[in-house]
Amino acid sequence: MRNKDCIALILAGGQGSRLGVLTKKVAKPAVNFGGKYRIIDFPLSNCTNSNIDTVGVLTQYQPLELNSYIGSGQPWDLDRSFGGVYLLPPYMKSETGIWYKGTANAIYQNMDFIQMFNPKNVLILSGDHIYKMNYAKMLDFHNENNADATISCIKVPWDQADRFGIMETDKSMRISNFFEKPKNPVSNMASMGVYIFKWEVLKNYLIKDEADLSSSNDFGKNIIPTMLHDGQKMFAYKFKGYWKDVGTIYSLWEANMELLHKKPAMNLFDKGWRIYSKNAIQPPHYTAQGAIIKDSMITEGSVIYGKVKNSIISSGVKIGKNSIVEDSVLFPSVVIEENCVIKKAIIGERSVVMDNSKIGVEDAIEGQVPSKMCSDGIVLIGSDLIVESGSNIAKNVMVE
Amino acid sequence: MKDALGIIFGEGSDAGLGSLTAKRSLAAVPIASRYRIIDFILSSMVNSGITNVGIITQKNYKSLMDHLGTGKEWDLNRKIGGLLLMPPYSSRETMSNENGDLADLAGALDFLEKSPQKYVVLSKSHLICNLNFDDAFEKHVHANAIVTILYQNLEPKGEISGLKNRFFIKTDEDDRISQIKAYSSTNESNKISLDIYIINKEFLIYLIRDGLASAEKGSLSEIFSRRIEHMRMMGYAAKDFVARIDSIKTFYQANMMILKKEIREKLFFKPGLIYTKVKDEAPSKYMESAVVRNSLIADGCVINGHVENSIIFRGVRIEKGARISNSIIMQNSEVQENAILEHVILDKEVIIRQDIRLTGQESYLVLINKGAIV
């Protein structure tokens, strides 16, 4: 029987409720990013570039767009005859069928799938981070240590450490303690939610965890602490580089803006580590006679007549004459008509801002309630909306 | 149009784009920031519902093969039909490829015989167009024609240059063709053939066999003109924008025409989309000093200089102080600081060092070979 050394499973079922209207109709991993990508392109491309050719994508919440986006996996070279990409929603079994209860339960429910490939190791990823990582190196580290589990970790600012799973290790990087979201963190080495497990070992723990009715079936809360308690060999793998959780409106906006730095930490132009995506069928972008574009990224299919500064412009966007777009992220096929001013906004797919509108200019406007999701002056406009001529939308407002 | 297959000649019979075609076939010449010339006719066929396309290649077909791959970008990676590249074919009957179109088509005999379709849409690759053949096809079937030639009406005092090797047709009020004639100074017709044909497959097979036996030479236009008395040939007027690439000049003009809004909006979107090989480049980045006017720019570029009236391909770098106008800069070329380019065509992967100045004119374009360092 052919078997795989390592297969990957991406947890892509998250609702991403802190992204407000952006995840009203799509799962968080399908949210647009960087002009022509979606968040899930990053873990998928990392798999491809790390020579992992078998990837299960576990979907649950609003899977339609994600499913049609991933399709056969061809854009990531994952249309393989042995292996490739598999979409794995929860399904009815002979006696029962339930939603994925937690991260560990989601993997438990797909044990038959994993067994098909009989892998030595499984790589567990989450579908909501922006980063470039060579999982092959982590796998080497895992194998060298003959580890039962290896957890990738990154140093985070101390004041944020309470949001993560925090690890303590000895000098050889063997994990001695693991605390899920500790109130008083003892270290700032945070789990990135990237795990490699020996499949034979993980399998047993998944079965045991499922039988424990008091368990919340979560890797961070249950599986990892239990394994550690049992004295399994667990190592921390230090990741250095750009890694960003884009779980909030602000962090999503900020991650987009960071691409515009002169030498961005997330370099999308690296030909040795391309980020693949499903490309829209679009002609080159057109910059008109009177257009002014500075410090921005512009994608194919856009047509720019106005002024664009420090912004991310996705495919098929149109910006009319005398309009100004600053510090903003425009998702695919957004139309900004003439004489508009758009500041610090995220505008969802296919929305139209009609002429003479102002977005994100005024601090507050009577009758407009600032959203709890938005902060730092960011305006969020959902997808498929029409902002009527002459509208004025204040900072921190979310339009659904 | 499920009942038609497509055949495209990879080479124009009179191909000559200087060094642009030194190492690649005309079909594979890059155009319009992210395409190859063949993308337009191939996408037109696919958008007309043709799912079985054979491409006749003659020489230097490596870059064409690389571009087309399995045909997946055109949705032609199929079990039934799909894309078939037909490299040069020689046998005792076809010793040299100077024997004309029928000899070139000999390599397609097998493909024609084994395909289930009853009709063939046949074209050269060198047309920049976005066509739908449905209407022409219906008329062809309805008129019980053996061959339909697509033509365009030339404006009365249209440009005369470049017409030398072109064929004109005359038709009666029902669009039945009464004459096919090469251009001459006494030309009476304004109906210029696009060299796109809809042909009954059985007839095409007969023609190739017959042509091979009698070593009949010449282009299809000439061959059809010899048989005009004996067969029912119809004309079909195509009204969409079509640019024909047969010289550096027409190549340059076609690129520049795409800067016009009316042409761009039709050529890339109507009636269908134009497909090409995907390169997975990041969006293009405009830096602090970028000034771009009236230009088309593909993904993967980093721009920090001045660009005006130009066509910029994928992965091009334009550094601070560089000034580019009325030029075509192909994939992965690099224009360093303070270099000045006017009326220049840079082939792929060219490096223009800092402070270099290259100035051509519209009538005398400067063409820099692939991979050159200036």
Side-chain angles (χ1 to χ4, degrees), chain A residues 34-37 74-75 259-262 264 268-269 271 274-277 279 281-289 291 293-300 303 305, chain B residues 32-35 72 259 261 264 268-269 273-275 278-288 290 292-302 308 317 332:
Chain A
K36 66 185 292 188
Y37 307 97
Q74 182 262 321
L259 297 174
L260 301 173
H261 292 174
K262 262 202 182 129
L268 296 172
F269 287 80
K271 292 193 175 166
R274 279 186 204 271
I275 303 302
Y276 304 99
S277 68
N279 282 245
I281 313 291
Q282 291 277 7
H285 78 259
Y286 176 73
T287 303
Q289 193 66 35
I293 307 175
K294 308 268 183 199
D295 301 315
S296 295
M297 288 180 91
I298 316 282
T299 314
E300 284 170 346
V303 179
Y305 285 90
Chain B
S33 290
R34 62 191 294 273
Y35 302 93
K72 65 174 183 248
L259 289 173
K261 190 178 176 206
R264 213 173 56 233
F268 292 129
F269 298 104
L273 300 173
I274 304 298
Y275 308 96
V278 164
K279 299 270 186 190
D280 292 292
E281 297 280 0
S284 278
K285 197 162 185 183
Y286 284 64
M287 310 294 278
E288 215 177 356
V292 178
R293 295 197 180 104
N294 189 37
S295 296
L296 278 173
I297 298 175
D299 274 356
C301 298
V302 179
E308 195 165 358
R317 314 238 147 185
N332 295 330

Coordinates of all heavy atoms in Angstrom, one line a residue, chain A residues 34-37 74-75 259-262 264 268-269 271 274-277 279 281-289 291 293-300 303 305, chain B residues 32-35 72 259 261 264 268-269 273-275 278-288 290 292-302 308 317 332:
Chain A
G34 N -4.9 41.1 0.5 CA -3.7 41.5 -0.3 C -4.0 41.6 -1.8 O -3.1 41.5 -2.6
G35 N -5.2 41.9 -2.2 CA -5.5 42.3 -3.6 C -5.9 41.1 -4.4 O -6.8 41.2 -5.2
K36 N -5.3 39.9 -4.3 CA -5.7 38.8 -5.1 C -5.7 37.5 -4.4 O -5.8 36.4 -5.0 CB -4.9 38.7 -6.4 CG -3.4 38.4 -6.2 CD -2.6 38.4 -7.5 CE -3.0 37.3 -8.5 NZ -2.1 37.3 -9.6
Y37 N -5.6 37.5 -3.1 CA -5.6 36.3 -2.3 C -6.8 36.2 -1.4 O -7.5 37.1 -1.2 CB -4.3 36.3 -1.5 CG -3.0 36.5 -2.3 CD1 -2.5 37.8 -2.3 CD2 -2.5 35.5 -3.0 CE1 -1.4 38.1 -3.1 CE2 -1.3 35.8 -3.8 CZ -0.8 37.0 -3.8 OH 0.3 37.3 -4.6
Q74 N -6.4 22.9 -8.2 CA -5.5 23.1 -9.3 C -4.6 24.3 -9.1 O -3.4 24.2 -9.4 CB -6.3 23.1 -10.6 CG -5.4 23.3 -11.9 CD -5.4 24.7 -12.3 OE1 -6.4 25.4 -12.3 NE2 -4.2 25.2 -12.7
P75 N -5.1 25.5 -8.7 CA -4.2 26.6 -8.5 C -3.1 26.4 -7.6 O -2.0 27.1 -7.7 CB -5.2 27.7 -8.0 CG -6.5 27.3 -8.4 CD -6.5 25.8 -8.4
L259 N 1.7 45.2 3.8 CA 2.3 44.7 2.5 C 2.8 45.9 1.7 O 3.6 45.8 0.8 CB 1.1 44.1 1.7 CG 0.5 42.8 2.2 CD1 -0.7 42.5 1.3 CD2 1.5 41.7 2.2
L260 N 2.4 47.1 2.1 CA 2.8 48.3 1.4 C 4.1 48.9 1.9 O 4.6 49.9 1.3 CB 1.7 49.4 1.5 CG 0.3 48.9 0.9 CD1 -0.8 49.9 1.1 CD2 0.5 48.6 -0.6
H261 N 4.7 48.4 2.9 CA 6.0 48.9 3.4 C 7.0 48.7 2.3 O 6.9 47.9 1.4 CB 6.4 48.1 4.6 CG 5.6 48.3 5.9 ND1 5.7 47.6 7.0 CD2 4.6 49.2 6.1 CE1 4.8 48.0 7.9 NE2 4.1 49.0 7.4
K262 N 8.0 49.6 2.4 CA 9.1 49.5 1.4 C 9.7 48.1 1.3 O 9.9 47.6 0.2 CB 10.2 50.5 1.7 CG 9.9 51.8 0.9 CD 11.2 52.6 0.8 CE 10.8 53.9 0.0 NZ 11.3 55.1 0.7
P264 N 8.5 44.9 2.9 CA 7.5 44.3 3.7 C 8.0 42.9 4.3 O 8.7 42.2 3.6 CB 6.3 44.0 2.8 CG 6.8 44.1 1.4 CD 8.1 44.9 1.5
L268 N 5.5 39.2 -1.0 CA 4.7 38.4 -2.0 C 5.4 38.3 -3.3 O 5.0 37.6 -4.2 CB 3.3 39.1 -2.2 CG 2.4 39.2 -1.0 CD1 1.2 40.1 -1.3 CD2 2.0 37.8 -0.6
F269 N 6.5 39.0 -3.5 CA 7.3 38.9 -4.7 C 8.4 37.9 -4.7 O 9.1 37.8 -5.7 CB 7.9 40.3 -5.0 CG 6.9 41.3 -5.4 CD1 6.1 42.0 -4.5 CD2 6.7 41.6 -6.8 CE1 5.2 42.9 -4.9 CE2 5.7 42.6 -7.2 CZ 5.0 43.2 -6.2
K271 N 10.0 34.8 -5.5 CA 9.7 33.7 -6.5 C 10.0 32.3 -6.0 O 9.6 31.4 -6.6 CB 10.5 34.0 -7.8 CG 9.9 35.3 -8.5 CD 10.3 35.6 -9.9 CE 9.5 36.8 -10.3 NZ 10.0 37.4 -11.5
R274 N 6.2 31.3 -3.8 CA 5.0 32.0 -4.3 C 3.8 31.7 -3.5 O 3.6 30.6 -3.0 CB 4.8 31.6 -5.7 CG 5.6 32.2 -6.8 CD 5.1 31.8 -8.1 NE 6.2 32.0 -9.1 CZ 6.4 33.1 -9.8 NH1 5.6 34.2 -9.6 NH2 7.3 33.1 -10.7
I275 N 2.9 32.6 -3.4 CA 1.6 32.4 -2.8 C 0.7 32.2 -4.0 O 0.5 33.1 -4.8 CB 1.2 33.5 -1.9 CG1 2.2 33.7 -0.7 CG2 -0.2 33.2 -1.3 CD1 2.5 32.5 0.1
Y276 N 0.1 31.1 -4.1 CA -0.8 30.8 -5.2 C -2.2 31.2 -4.9 O -2.6 31.1 -3.7 CB -0.7 29.3 -5.6 CG 0.7 28.8 -5.9 CD1 1.4 28.2 -4.9 CD2 1.3 29.1 -7.1 CE1 2.7 27.8 -5.2 CE2 2.5 28.7 -7.4 CZ 3.3 28.0 -6.4 OH 4.6 27.6 -6.7
S277 N -3.0 31.5 -5.9 CA -4.4 31.8 -5.7 C -5.1 31.5 -6.9 O -4.5 31.3 -8.0 CB -4.6 33.2 -5.3 OG -4.3 34.1 -6.4
N279 N -6.7 32.7 -9.9 CA -6.7 34.0 -10.6 C -8.0 34.3 -11.3 O -8.5 33.4 -12.0 CB -5.5 34.0 -11.6 CG -4.2 34.1 -10.9 OD1 -3.5 35.1 -11.2 ND2 -3.8 33.2 -10.1
I281 N -10.0 35.9 -14.3 CA -9.7 36.1 -15.7 C -9.8 37.5 -16.0 O -10.9 38.0 -16.3 CB -10.6 35.2 -16.7 CG1 -10.7 33.8 -16.2 CG2 -10.1 35.3 -18.1 CD1 -9.5 33.0 -16.3
Q282 N -8.7 38.3 -15.9 CA -8.8 39.8 -16.1 C -7.7 40.3 -16.9 O -6.6 39.7 -16.9 CB -8.7 40.4 -14.7 CG -9.9 40.2 -13.8 CD -11.1 41.1 -14.0 OE1 -11.0 41.9 -15.0 NE2 -12.1 41.1 -13.2
P283 N -7.9 41.3 -17.7 CA -6.8 41.9 -18.5 C -5.9 42.7 -17.5 O -6.1 42.8 -16.4 CB -7.5 42.9 -19.4 CG -8.8 43.2 -18.7 CD -9.2 42.0 -17.9
P284 N -4.7 43.2 -18.1 CA -3.9 44.0 -17.2 C -4.6 45.2 -16.7 O -5.7 45.6 -17.2 CB -2.8 44.5 -18.2 CG -3.3 44.2 -19.6 CD -4.3 43.1 -19.5
H285 N -4.1 45.8 -15.6 CA -4.8 46.9 -15.1 C -4.5 48.2 -15.9 O -3.4 48.2 -16.5 CB -4.6 47.1 -13.6 CG -3.3 47.8 -13.2 ND1 -2.2 47.0 -12.7 CD2 -2.9 49.0 -13.2 CE1 -1.2 47.8 -12.5 NE2 -1.6 49.1 -12.8
Y286 N -5.4 49.1 -15.9 CA -5.2 50.3 -16.8 C -5.1 51.6 -15.9 O -6.0 51.8 -15.0 CB -6.4 50.5 -17.8 CG -6.3 51.7 -18.6 CD1 -5.3 51.9 -19.6 CD2 -7.1 52.8 -18.3 CE1 -5.2 53.0 -20.3 CE2 -7.0 54.0 -19.1 CZ -6.1 54.1 -20.1 OH -6.0 55.2 -20.8
T287 N -4.1 52.3 -16.0 CA -3.9 53.6 -15.3 C -4.1 54.7 -16.3 O -3.3 54.8 -17.2 CB -2.6 53.6 -14.6 OG1 -2.4 52.5 -13.8 CG2 -2.4 54.8 -13.7
A288 N -5.1 55.5 -16.0 CA -5.4 56.6 -17.0 C -4.5 57.8 -16.9 O -3.7 57.9 -16.0 CB -6.9 57.0 -16.8
Q289 N -4.7 58.7 -17.9 CA -3.9 59.9 -18.0 C -3.9 60.7 -16.7 O -2.8 61.1 -16.2 CB -4.5 60.8 -19.1 CG -3.6 61.9 -19.6 CD -2.3 61.3 -20.2 OE1 -2.4 60.3 -20.9 NE2 -1.2 62.0 -20.0
A291 N -4.6 59.8 -13.6 CA -4.5 59.0 -12.3 C -3.2 59.3 -11.6 O -2.2 59.6 -12.2 CB -4.6 57.6 -12.6
I293 N -1.1 57.3 -8.5 CA -1.0 56.1 -7.6 C 0.3 56.1 -6.9 O 1.4 56.2 -7.6 CB -1.2 54.8 -8.4 CG1 -2.5 54.9 -9.3 CG2 -1.3 53.6 -7.5 CD1 -2.7 53.7 -10.2
K294 N 0.3 56.1 -5.6 CA 1.6 56.0 -4.8 C 1.4 55.0 -3.7 O 0.4 54.9 -3.1 CB 1.8 57.4 -4.1 CG 1.8 58.6 -5.1 CD 3.2 58.9 -5.6 CE 3.1 60.1 -6.5 NZ 4.3 60.2 -7.3
D295 N 2.5 54.3 -3.4 CA 2.6 53.4 -2.3 C 1.4 52.5 -2.2 O 0.8 52.3 -1.2 CB 2.7 54.2 -1.0 CG 3.9 55.0 -1.0 OD1 5.0 54.6 -1.4 OD2 3.8 56.2 -0.6
S296 N 1.0 51.8 -3.4 CA -0.2 51.0 -3.4 C 0.1 49.7 -4.2 O 1.1 49.7 -5.0 CB -1.3 51.8 -4.0 OG -1.7 52.9 -3.2
M297 N -0.8 48.8 -4.0 CA -0.7 47.6 -4.8 C -2.0 47.5 -5.7 O -3.1 47.6 -5.1 CB -0.6 46.3 -4.0 CG 0.8 46.2 -3.4 SD 1.1 44.8 -2.4 CE 1.7 43.6 -3.6
I298 N -1.8 47.3 -7.0 CA -2.9 47.3 -7.9 C -3.0 46.0 -8.6 O -1.9 45.5 -9.1 CB -2.8 48.4 -9.0 CG1 -2.3 49.7 -8.3 CG2 -4.1 48.6 -9.8 CD1 -3.4 50.5 -7.6
T299 N -4.1 45.3 -8.7 CA -4.2 44.0 -9.3 C -4.9 44.1 -10.7 O -5.5 45.1 -11.0 CB -5.1 43.1 -8.4 OG1 -4.7 43.3 -7.1 CG2 -5.0 41.7 -8.8
E300 N -4.6 43.1 -11.5 CA -5.1 43.0 -12.9 C -6.6 43.2 -12.9 O -7.4 42.9 -12.0 CB -4.8 41.6 -13.5 CG -3.3 41.6 -13.9 CD -2.7 40.3 -14.3 OE1 -3.4 39.3 -14.0 OE2 -1.6 40.3 -14.8
V303 N -9.2 49.5 -13.2 CA -9.2 50.7 -14.0 C -9.1 51.9 -13.1 O -10.1 52.1 -12.4 CB -10.4 50.7 -15.0 CG1 -10.3 52.0 -15.9 CG2 -10.4 49.5 -15.9
Y305 N -8.8 56.0 -12.6 CA -8.8 57.3 -13.1 C -8.4 58.3 -12.0 O -8.0 59.4 -12.3 CB -10.2 57.7 -13.7 CG -10.4 57.1 -15.1 CD1 -11.0 55.8 -15.2 CD2 -10.0 57.7 -16.2 CE1 -11.2 55.2 -16.4 CE2 -10.2 57.1 -17.5 CZ -10.8 55.9 -17.5 OH -11.0 55.3 -18.8
Chain B
A32 N 0.1 42.6 -25.3 CA -0.9 43.2 -24.4 C -0.7 42.9 -22.9 O -1.6 42.5 -22.3 CB -2.3 42.8 -24.9
S33 N 0.5 43.0 -22.5 CA 0.9 42.9 -21.1 C 0.9 41.5 -20.5 O 1.6 41.3 -19.5 CB 0.0 43.8 -20.2 OG 0.3 45.1 -20.4
R34 N 0.0 40.6 -20.9 CA 0.0 39.3 -20.3 C -0.4 38.2 -21.2 O -0.6 37.1 -20.7 CB -0.8 39.3 -19.0 CG -2.3 39.7 -19.2 CD -3.0 39.9 -17.9 NE -3.1 38.8 -17.1 CZ -4.1 37.9 -17.1 NH1 -5.0 38.0 -18.0 NH2 -4.1 36.9 -16.2
Y35 N -0.6 38.5 -22.5 CA -1.1 37.4 -23.4 C 0.0 37.0 -24.4 O 1.1 37.6 -24.5 CB -2.3 38.0 -24.1 CG -3.4 38.4 -23.2 CD1 -3.5 39.7 -22.8 CD2 -4.3 37.5 -22.7 CE1 -4.5 40.1 -21.9 CE2 -5.3 37.9 -21.8 CZ -5.4 39.2 -21.4 OH -6.4 39.6 -20.5
K72 N -5.3 23.7 -19.9 CA -6.3 23.9 -18.8 C -6.8 25.3 -18.6 O -8.0 25.5 -18.3 CB -5.7 23.4 -17.4 CG -4.5 24.2 -16.9 CD -4.1 23.7 -15.6 CE -3.0 24.6 -15.0 NZ -1.7 23.9 -14.9
L259 N -4.8 50.5 -25.7 CA -4.9 51.6 -24.6 C -6.2 52.3 -24.8 O -6.6 53.0 -23.8 CB -3.7 52.5 -24.8 CG -2.3 52.0 -24.4 CD1 -1.2 53.0 -24.7 CD2 -2.3 51.7 -22.9
K261 N -10.0 53.0 -24.6 CA -11.0 52.4 -23.8 C -12.0 51.6 -24.6 O -12.3 50.5 -24.2 CB -11.8 53.6 -23.1 CG -12.7 53.2 -22.0 CD -13.4 54.4 -21.4 CE -14.4 53.9 -20.4 NZ -15.5 54.8 -20.2
R264 N -10.4 48.3 -25.6 CA -10.0 47.5 -24.5 C -11.3 46.8 -23.9 O -11.3 45.6 -23.6 CB -9.4 48.4 -23.4 CG -8.4 47.8 -22.6 CD -7.8 48.8 -21.7 NE -8.7 49.5 -20.9 CZ -8.8 50.8 -20.8 NH1 -8.0 51.6 -21.5 NH2 -9.7 51.4 -20.0
F268 N -11.3 42.6 -24.4 CA -11.1 41.7 -23.2 C -12.4 41.1 -22.6 O -12.3 40.2 -21.8 CB -10.3 42.4 -22.1 CG -8.9 42.8 -22.5 CD1 -8.4 44.1 -22.4 CD2 -8.1 41.8 -23.0 CE1 -7.1 44.4 -22.7 CE2 -6.8 42.1 -23.4 CZ -6.3 43.4 -23.2
F269 N -13.5 41.7 -22.9 CA -14.7 41.2 -22.2 C -15.9 40.8 -23.1 O -16.8 40.1 -22.6 CB -15.2 42.4 -21.3 CG -14.2 42.8 -20.2 CD1 -13.5 43.9 -20.3 CD2 -14.0 41.9 -19.1 CE1 -12.6 44.3 -19.3 CE2 -13.1 42.3 -18.1 CZ -12.4 43.4 -18.2
L273 N -14.4 36.2 -22.5 CA -13.2 36.6 -21.8 C -12.0 36.0 -22.6 O -12.1 35.0 -23.3 CB -13.1 36.1 -20.4 CG -14.2 36.6 -19.5 CD1 -14.2 35.9 -18.1 CD2 -14.1 38.1 -19.3
I274 N -10.8 36.6 -22.5 CA -9.6 36.1 -23.1 C -8.8 35.4 -22.0 O -8.4 36.0 -21.0 CB -8.8 37.2 -23.8 CG1 -9.7 38.0 -24.7 CG2 -7.6 36.7 -24.5 CD1 -10.2 37.2 -25.9
Y275 N -8.5 34.1 -22.3 CA -7.7 33.3 -21.3 C -6.3 33.3 -21.7 O -5.9 33.4 -22.8 CB -8.3 31.9 -21.3 CG -9.8 31.9 -21.2 CD1 -10.6 31.8 -22.3 CD2 -10.4 32.0 -19.9 CE1 -12.0 31.8 -22.1 CE2 -11.7 32.0 -19.8 CZ -12.6 31.9 -20.9 OH -13.9 31.9 -20.7
V278 N -1.6 31.4 -16.4 CA -1.6 32.1 -15.2 C -0.1 32.0 -14.6 O 0.5 31.0 -14.7 CB -2.6 31.5 -14.2 CG1 -2.3 31.9 -12.8 CG2 -4.0 31.8 -14.6
K279 N 0.4 33.1 -14.1 CA 1.7 33.1 -13.6 C 1.9 33.2 -12.1 O 3.0 33.3 -11.5 CB 2.5 34.2 -14.2 CG 2.6 34.1 -15.7 CD 3.8 33.3 -16.2 CE 3.9 33.4 -17.7 NZ 4.9 32.6 -18.2
D280 N 0.8 33.5 -11.4 CA 0.8 33.6 -9.9 C 1.8 34.7 -9.4 O 2.5 34.5 -8.5 CB 1.2 32.3 -9.2 CG 0.1 31.3 -9.4 OD1 -1.0 31.5 -8.8 OD2 0.3 30.3 -10.1
E281 N 1.7 35.8 -10.1 CA 2.5 37.0 -9.6 C 1.6 37.8 -8.6 O 0.4 37.7 -8.6 CB 2.7 38.0 -10.8 CG 3.6 37.4 -11.9 CD 5.1 37.4 -11.6 OE1 5.4 37.9 -10.5 OE2 5.8 36.9 -12.5
A282 N 2.3 38.5 -7.7 CA 1.6 39.3 -6.7 C 1.0 40.5 -7.5 O 1.4 40.8 -8.6 CB 2.7 39.8 -5.7
P283 N 0.1 41.2 -6.9 CA -0.3 42.5 -7.5 C 0.8 43.4 -7.8 O 1.9 43.3 -7.1 CB -1.3 43.1 -6.5 CG -1.7 42.0 -5.6 CD -0.6 41.0 -5.6
S284 N 0.7 44.3 -8.7 CA 1.8 45.2 -9.0 C 1.9 46.3 -7.9 O 0.9 46.7 -7.3 CB 1.6 45.9 -10.3 OG 2.1 45.1 -11.3
K285 N 3.2 46.7 -7.6 CA 3.4 47.6 -6.5 C 3.8 49.0 -7.1 O 4.8 49.0 -7.9 CB 4.4 47.1 -5.6 CG 4.4 47.8 -4.3 CD 5.1 46.9 -3.2 CE 5.1 47.5 -1.9 NZ 5.8 46.7 -0.9
Y286 N 3.1 50.0 -6.7 CA 3.5 51.4 -7.1 C 4.3 52.0 -5.9 O 3.7 52.0 -4.8 CB 2.3 52.3 -7.4 CG 1.6 52.0 -8.7 CD1 1.0 50.8 -9.0 CD2 1.5 53.0 -9.7 CE1 0.4 50.6 -10.2 CE2 0.9 52.8 -10.9 CZ 0.3 51.6 -11.1 OH -0.3 51.4 -12.3
M287 N 5.5 52.4 -6.1 CA 6.3 53.0 -5.0 C 6.0 54.5 -5.0 O 5.3 55.1 -5.8 CB 7.7 52.7 -5.2 CG 8.0 51.2 -5.5 SD 7.6 50.1 -4.1 CE 9.1 50.3 -3.1
E288 N 6.8 55.1 -4.1 CA 6.7 56.5 -3.8 C 6.8 57.4 -5.0 O 6.0 58.4 -5.2 CB 7.8 56.9 -2.8 CG 7.6 57.9 -1.8 CD 8.8 58.0 -0.9 OE1 9.8 57.3 -1.1 OE2 8.8 58.9 -0.1
A290 N 6.4 56.7 -8.2 CA 5.8 56.2 -9.4 C 4.9 57.3 -10.1 O 4.1 58.0 -9.4 CB 4.9 55.0 -9.1
V292 N 2.4 57.1 -13.4 CA 2.0 56.3 -14.5 C 0.8 56.9 -15.2 O -0.2 57.3 -14.6 CB 1.6 54.9 -14.0 CG1 1.1 54.0 -15.2 CG2 2.8 54.2 -13.4
R293 N 0.9 57.0 -16.5 CA -0.2 57.6 -17.3 C -0.6 56.8 -18.5 O 0.3 56.4 -19.2 CB 0.2 59.0 -17.8 CG 0.4 60.0 -16.7 CD 0.4 61.4 -17.2 NE 0.6 62.3 -16.1 CZ 1.7 62.9 -15.8 NH1 2.8 62.7 -16.7 NH2 1.9 63.7 -14.8
N294 N -1.9 56.6 -18.7 CA -2.4 55.9 -19.9 C -1.5 54.7 -20.3 O -1.0 54.6 -21.4 CB -2.3 56.9 -21.1 CG -3.1 56.3 -22.3 OD1 -4.1 55.6 -22.2 ND2 -2.5 56.6 -23.5
S295 N -1.5 53.8 -19.4 CA -0.7 52.6 -19.6 C -1.4 51.3 -19.1 O -2.3 51.4 -18.2 CB 0.7 52.7 -18.9 OG 1.4 53.7 -19.4
L296 N -1.0 50.2 -19.7 CA -1.6 48.9 -19.2 C -0.4 48.2 -18.5 O 0.7 48.1 -19.0 CB -2.0 48.1 -20.4 CG -3.4 48.4 -21.0 CD1 -3.5 47.6 -22.3 CD2 -4.5 48.0 -20.0
I297 N -0.8 47.7 -17.3 CA 0.3 47.1 -16.5 C -0.2 45.7 -15.9 O -1.3 45.7 -15.3 CB 0.7 48.0 -15.4 CG1 1.3 49.3 -16.0 CG2 1.7 47.4 -14.4 CD1 1.6 50.4 -15.1
A298 N 0.6 44.7 -16.1 CA 0.2 43.4 -15.6 C 0.6 43.2 -14.2 O 1.2 44.1 -13.6 CB 0.8 42.3 -16.5
D299 N 0.3 42.1 -13.6 CA 0.7 41.8 -12.2 C 2.2 41.6 -12.0 O 2.9 41.4 -13.0 CB 0.0 40.6 -11.6 CG -1.4 40.9 -11.1 OD1 -1.8 42.1 -11.1 OD2 -2.1 40.0 -10.7
G300 N 2.7 41.7 -10.8 CA 4.1 41.4 -10.5 C 5.1 42.4 -10.8 O 6.3 42.2 -10.7
C301 N 4.7 43.6 -11.1 CA 5.6 44.7 -11.5 C 5.9 45.5 -10.2 O 5.1 45.6 -9.3 CB 5.0 45.7 -12.5 SG 4.7 44.8 -14.1
V302 N 7.1 46.1 -10.2 CA 7.4 47.1 -9.1 C 7.8 48.4 -9.9 O 8.7 48.4 -10.7 CB 8.5 46.7 -8.2 CG1 8.9 47.7 -7.2 CG2 8.2 45.4 -7.5
E308 N 4.5 56.2 -19.5 CA 3.4 56.9 -20.2 C 3.2 56.2 -21.5 O 4.1 55.7 -22.2 CB 3.8 58.3 -20.4 CG 2.6 59.2 -20.9 CD 2.9 60.7 -20.7 OE1 4.0 61.0 -20.3 OE2 2.0 61.4 -21.1
R317 N 10.4 45.5 -13.6 CA 10.9 46.5 -12.6 C 11.3 47.8 -13.2 O 12.1 47.8 -14.2 CB 12.1 46.0 -11.8 CG 11.9 44.6 -11.4 CD 12.1 44.4 -9.9 NE 11.2 43.3 -9.6 CZ 10.9 42.9 -8.4 NH1 11.4 43.5 -7.3 NH2 10.1 41.9 -8.2
N332 N 9.5 40.3 -17.1 CA 10.7 40.3 -16.2 C 11.8 41.1 -16.7 O 13.0 40.9 -16.3 CB 11.2 38.8 -16.1 CG 10.2 37.9 -15.4 OD1 9.5 38.4 -14.5 ND2 10.2 36.7 -15.7

